[in-house]
Amino acid sequence: MTTDTLDRLQTSTPQDIRRALLIGTEIALIDVREEHEFAQGHPLFAAQIPLRRIDAEARWRIPRLDTPIIIYDNGEGLARKAAVRLEALGYTDVRELEGGLAAWRDAGYELFEDVNSYSKAFGELVEHRRHTPSLPAEEVQALIREKADIKILDARRYDEYNTMNIPTGTSVPGAELVLRAQTIAPDPDTTIIVNCAGRTRSIIGAQSLVNAGIPNKVYALRNGTIGWTLAGQELETGQTRAAPEVDDAATEEARAHARDVAYRAGVKRIGWKELEALKAETGRTLYLYDVRQPREYESGHLPGFRNAQGGQLVQETDHNAPVRGARIVVTDPTGVRADMTASWLAQLGWEVYVLDVDWSAATLERGPDSAPPPRGPEGRYKRPYEGTDNKAAAMQAYLDWEYGLVAQLERDGTHGFYVI
C-alpha cells in the first residue's frame, strides 16, 4: 500500500451510487470480498471480484480503463488494497464506497443475499407478471410414472445436468430451447416441462417458449431439482441425453419466432458498420458475446467475441457484464439464440444489440474462450442447488429467499426491469 494511493483515493457515497444507477450512467460497483461473504449481503447491482482475483479478472470483466469503479468491503480493509491493484492495472477512476457496506445498509438501502441476485430477482418478477405456468414435483413424477406424452428439458449448463437431473430429462441449455424444443417435441400435443436446479432458469426457459409462441403446452418444474429432492423423489446422475441437431426448416421457423420476441423487447439489429461505430465510442463500455455452447464456439467464432452461453449470460449477468450501464452485443450464426438472449437482457435494462451478419463470409477464429477459469473452492459460496449433498433446510431456505425477491426489488427501486 502506497501513501500516495491512500492520499488520493476518492470516495463515493451510497447516494452517489444510487443516483448513477437510477440515471443509467456507467458504474462498476465491485465487492472485493470472497464470494461466501458477498453472498451474505450486497447491493443489487454489485459484482464480486475478490482481492486475490483482481489481476486475473479485472481487465476482461471491466474492459475500459476509465470506467467509474467503486470498490467496497465490510470493514476488512480489502478495498484500499484492491485500489492499489486496480491502479497498477491502469484503471484511472477508482473510488471507495464511503463507510463500506455498513454505510449502504445505514442509508436504508436493500442488501441482497446469494449470487447472481438481480437475475434471480428478475426471474421472480417474470413469473409474478406473466404467471408462468408451473407444475409441482409430485405431478411431474406422476406423469413420468404414467408414461404421459411429455418431454422434460433441462435448461442448465450441460455439466450441471450431467451431475444430476430429473428422470427422462434432456439437456437443452436455456438459449437453445426455442431453437431445439420443437425438434424434440414435434407433436403439438406433447407437453414440455422445463427444469433447472431452483427457479430462475425454469421460469425464464418456460417463458421463452411461451413468448416464442410454440403450440405445445409449456410448464416450468416448480422449484426445480430442489423441489424434486424436497419431495423425496430420486434424481438421475451421469446422464448424457442432449438435444438433436436442427434442420434448416426448423431453424428458419425458430428464427422467425425469436426475432418477433426480440422485436417486442425493443432489441436492435446491427451489421459490421454499426458494430465498428460502437467500438469507436471509447467512452462507453462494450461487451461482445457469442451465446452458443462452448463446443460450437470453439469450432469457429467471430474475432473479439467471448463465449457466454445465452442462458448463463442472463443468469450470471453480473459476472459477465459487471459494468452496469454498458452496451452488450450478442451473436450466433442462426440468430435464434442471440435474439432470445437479447430479449431477456433488454428486459433486464441493458442497451443490447444483435449482430446480424453473414457468418459464411466472415473470418473465424478457433479455440476456447480466453477468460481465466475460477481458481478452486477457496472462498466460494456453497450454492444450495448444486451437487447432490445439500441439506433440506438449506434448500428450503433458498426457495423461501427467492419467493421474497419481488418485494425486495420493489423496496430497492433501482432495477429498471420490465417484462414483455
Side-chain angles (χ1 to χ4, degrees), residues 141-153:
Q141 177 76 289
L143 291 171
I144 294 173
R145 192 164 46 242
E146 295 162 6
K147 294 184 168 50
D149 185 9
I150 62 171
K151 293 292 184 181
I152 298 174
L153 309 185

Side-chain angles (χ1 to χ4, degrees), residues 130-382:
R130 293 298 309 273
H131 307 291
T132 306
S134 65
L135 293 175
E138 295 86 349
E139 287 190 28
V140 177
Q141 177 76 289
L143 291 171
I144 294 173
R145 192 164 46 242
E146 295 162 6
K147 294 184 168 50
D149 185 9
I150 62 171
K151 293 292 184 181
I152 298 174
L153 309 185
D154 192 312
R156 299 172 296 164
R157 301 188 313 266
Y158 177 79
D159 62 294
E160 294 179 86
Y161 164 83
N162 181 252
T163 297
M164 48 85 173
N165 67 281
I166 304 300
T168 76
T170 298
S171 176
V172 191
E176 307 289 325
L177 285 164
V178 170
L179 177 62
R180 303 185 188 278
Q182 290 194 265
T183 298
I184 297 171
D187 186 343
D189 291 330
T190 300
T191 296
I192 294 175
I193 300 167
V194 180
N195 83 272
C196 69
R199 292 177 53 78
T200 310
R201 288 174 288 182
S202 300
I203 294 167
I204 296 297
Q207 194 62 52
S208 291
L209 295 174
V210 172
N211 287 352
I214 73 162
N216 307 65
K217 288 182 179 179
V218 178
Y219 297 93
L221 171 60
R222 196 174 305 159
N223 304 330
T225 59
I226 288 181
W228 194 269
T229 302
L230 290 174
Q233 299 170 180
E234 293 294 320
L235 294 165
E236 292 182 331
T237 60
Q239 297 300 310
T240 57
R241 293 183 292 266
E245 292 301 313
V246 181
D247 63 28
D248 291 344
T251 299
E252 283 302 316
E253 183 177 0
R255 180 182 290 121
H257 290 312
R259 286 193 174 182
D260 177 67
V261 178
Y263 173 77
R264 285 187 278 130
V267 174
K268 297 176 182 177
R269 317 185 66 77
I270 61 173
W272 291 118
K273 289 184 179 179
E274 292 81 10
L275 177 60
E276 291 306 313
L278 290 176
K279 289 180 178 179
E281 293 187 26
T282 56
R284 293 291 305 276
T285 297
L286 182 65
Y287 293 105
L288 307 178
Y289 279 113
D290 182 319
V291 295
R292 296 174 295 164
Q293 298 300 294
R295 287 180 63 180
E296 286 187 82
Y297 174 85
E298 291 169 17
S299 70
H301 54 268
L302 299 176
F305 279 78
R306 309 190 74 94
N307 184 216
Q309 301 174 47
Q312 293 305 117
L313 183 53
V314 175
Q315 172 84 355
E316 301 173 345
T317 320
D318 59 325
H319 179 79
N320 292 293
V323 181
R324 187 66 178 171
R327 292 164 166 165
I328 303 176
V329 177
V330 294
T331 194
D332 84 277
T334 70
V336 178
R337 293 158 290 195
D339 276 325
M340 292 308 301
T341 302
S343 75
W344 290 118
L345 292 173
Q347 293 172 76
L348 277 161
W350 290 92
E351 182 181 340
V352 59
Y353 302 85
V354 169
L355 179 65
D356 186 11
V357 295
D358 181 5
W359 279 60
S360 65
T363 301
L364 302 181
E365 295 180 346
R366 300 183 186 277
D369 189 282
S370 57
R375 269 192 205 134
E378 62 271 25
R380 190 173 186 271
Y381 166 63
K382 177 66 167 67

Side-chain angles (χ1 to χ4, degrees), residues 37-114:
E37 284 68 38
F38 171 77
Q40 308 313 304
H42 53 82
L44 179 63
F45 288 111
Q48 186 257 345
I49 306 179
L51 174 62
R52 62 183 174 82
R53 295 281 297 173
I54 284 176
D55 287 5
E57 295 188 21
R59 290 300 298 269
W60 76 265
R61 292 182 68 188
I62 310 174
R64 187 166 64 88
L65 291 176
D66 55 353
T67 300
I69 300 174
I70 294 95
I71 53 178
Y72 73 88
D73 57 31
N74 195 24
E76 300 91 344
L78 303 172
R80 291 294 177 98
K81 295 176 183 178
V84 173
R85 296 304 319 138
L86 289 166
E87 290 192 348
L89 291 171
Y91 292 97
T92 59
D93 189 0
V94 181
R95 299 167 184 255
E96 184 178 5
L97 172 57
E98 187 176 293
L101 191 63
W104 186 269
R105 181 173 51 247
D106 293 345
Y109 300 156
E110 289 290 307
L111 293 178
F112 288 77
E113 297 177 2
D114 206 77

